[in-house]
Amino acid sequence: MTPAVKLEAASVRFTSERGSVTALENVGIEIPPGGFWSLLGPSGCGKSTLLRLVADLVAPTHGTVAVLGGPPATARVNRELGFVFQDPTLLPWRSALENVRLPLEVGPQKRERSAQWTPEGLLRLVGLAGREDALPHELSGGMRQRVAIARALVSEPRILLMDEPFGALDEITRDTLNEELLRIWKQTETTILFVTHSIPEAVFLSERVLVLATNPGRVREVVDCGLPYPRPLSVRETPEFIQIAAHLRALLQTC
C-alpha cells in the first residue's frame, strides 16, 4: 500500500542575511492512507514546517518528500490536499455556503460530486445545516472553524493538513469539535495530519503522535496511542489514556 505521506531524511534549512536556521533535520516518517497523526512538540520544533513540506509550500533542502506516491507538487496541483489554519480566514462578505464554494470557483472540479461532497452536504456534515446563509460575523468561533473545515474538504482532498485549528477556542467548544473531527474523519476516510500543543487533544484524536524535538527540529519518538475508536470524551479519564499522556509529557520535557 502506497503511503499517504513519506519523508526520507528530509531536512529544511532557511537562510537569510542574518544566517541560517535548520527547521527540520533528517526527518523520516511514513503515514498510511486514512491515518490520523498529530504533531506535538515545543514552539520552534518545525511542526508547521513539516505541514508545509507536505503541502508543497516549502521544499526540502535535503532528503525526499513523497505525497500519495509522487511529488508534493503533483498532489497540490491535483487538489489532493486540504489545509485548515488556526484562523478560519473566511471572507466576511460571503455567507457560510459561499465561503465553502470558494475553492470550486477558483479551480477545476475533479468530477461529478456525490451529495456528501457538495458545499451543502459538507455544511451538513460539519453540523451547520440551516446556517448556510449566515455571514461569518453571525457565527461563533467554533462555527466559523466548522465552515473552514468544510471549505478544506470541498475539493475532496485525500489528505487534510490542520495547523492548530482549535487552539483559539474555549475548552468546551474545543471538546465538541474534537468529537466532530473524529466523526468527519471516519466518514470521509481522509488522512489527517494535525498540529497541536495540547497533549490531551493529541492523545484523544490520534492513532499516532509524532513528537518533535527542537534545535534543530527532529523526530524524538512516534507514540502509538492504541486506544480503540470510537472515543468518547470519557476516555480521557481512563488509566490507558493517562499513561499515554504522561509518556508524552515526559518526552516533551526532554525536547
Side-chain angles (χ1 to χ4, degrees):
M1 183 179 297
T2 302
V5 175
K6 185 175 183 178
L7 277 65
E8 293 185 293
S11 299
V12 176
R13 179 178 289 272
F14 297 112
T15 303
S16 68
E17 296 176 352
R18 293 178 291 180
S20 62
V21 175
T22 301
L24 290 172
E25 183 175 74
N26 198 34
V27 174
I29 59 172
E30 188 170 313
I31 301 174
F36 196 131
W37 283 40
S38 284
L39 311 182
L40 189 66
S43 296
C45 70
K47 299 185 295 295
S48 295
T49 300
L50 197 154
L51 286 193
R52 285 162 170 74
L53 267 179
V54 176
D56 193 40
L57 300 177
V58 173
T61 308
H62 301 288
T64 61
V65 180
V67 178
L68 302 171
T74 301
R76 175 179 54 79
V77 170
N78 291 339
R79 309 186 76 184
E80 301 287 5
L81 301 168
F83 216 126
V84 181
F85 301 93
Q86 184 171 351
D87 188 326
T89 60
L90 304 180
L91 298 180
W93 60 88
R94 295 181 68 121
S95 68
L97 182 59
E98 290 168 340
N99 268 286
V100 175
R101 282 177 177 160
L102 183 61
L104 303 180
E105 298 173 7
V106 299
Q109 298 189 39
K110 292 182 181 179
R111 54 187 178 273
E112 185 177 345
R113 312 176 69 79
S114 66
Q116 174 178 290
W117 293 99
T118 63
E120 295 84 356
L122 287 168
L123 282 177
R124 288 193 297 271
L125 181 68
V126 300
L128 287 179
R131 303 306 302 272
E132 293 86 354
D133 296 330
L135 294 172
H137 76 269
E138 299 172 320
L139 300 172
S140 68
M143 288 179 177
R144 289 194 293 272
Q145 201 59 278
R146 289 171 186 255
V147 175
I149 293 171
R151 182 181 58 191
L153 291 171
V154 78
S155 298
E156 300 182 61
R158 294 167 64 185
I159 299 174
L160 186 61
L161 308 172
M162 309 187 77
D163 197 353
E164 290 194 81
F166 308 143
L169 302 177
D170 64 85
E171 186 173 359
I172 294 174
T173 303
R174 189 169 184 157
D175 285 348
T176 299
L177 288 183
N178 279 178
E179 290 183 300
E180 288 295 295
L181 182 58
L182 286 182
R183 179 181 60 80
I184 292 167
W185 168 57
K186 285 295 186 180
Q187 193 162 337
T188 63
E189 299 182 340
T190 305
T191 304
I192 296 181
L193 278 69
F194 186 95
V195 168
T196 180
H197 279 103
S198 169
I199 293 173
E201 183 171 63
V203 178
F204 179 74
L205 291 173
S206 314
E207 293 177 309
R208 292 188 173 184
V209 179
L210 174 64
V211 180
L212 295 174
T214 190
N215 296 322
R218 61 198 185 280
V219 176
R220 178 69 175 80
E221 189 174 320
V222 177
V223 176
D224 190 346
C225 291
L227 299 170
Y229 295 96
R231 293 179 185 170
L233 290 174
S234 59
V235 74
R236 298 183 301 188
E237 311 301 324
T238 63
E240 294 81 5
F241 187 100
I242 294 170
Q243 183 178 9
I244 297 167
H247 178 63
L248 289 171
R249 189 168 290 105
L251 284 175
L252 291 175
Q253 290 173 349
T254 65
C255 290

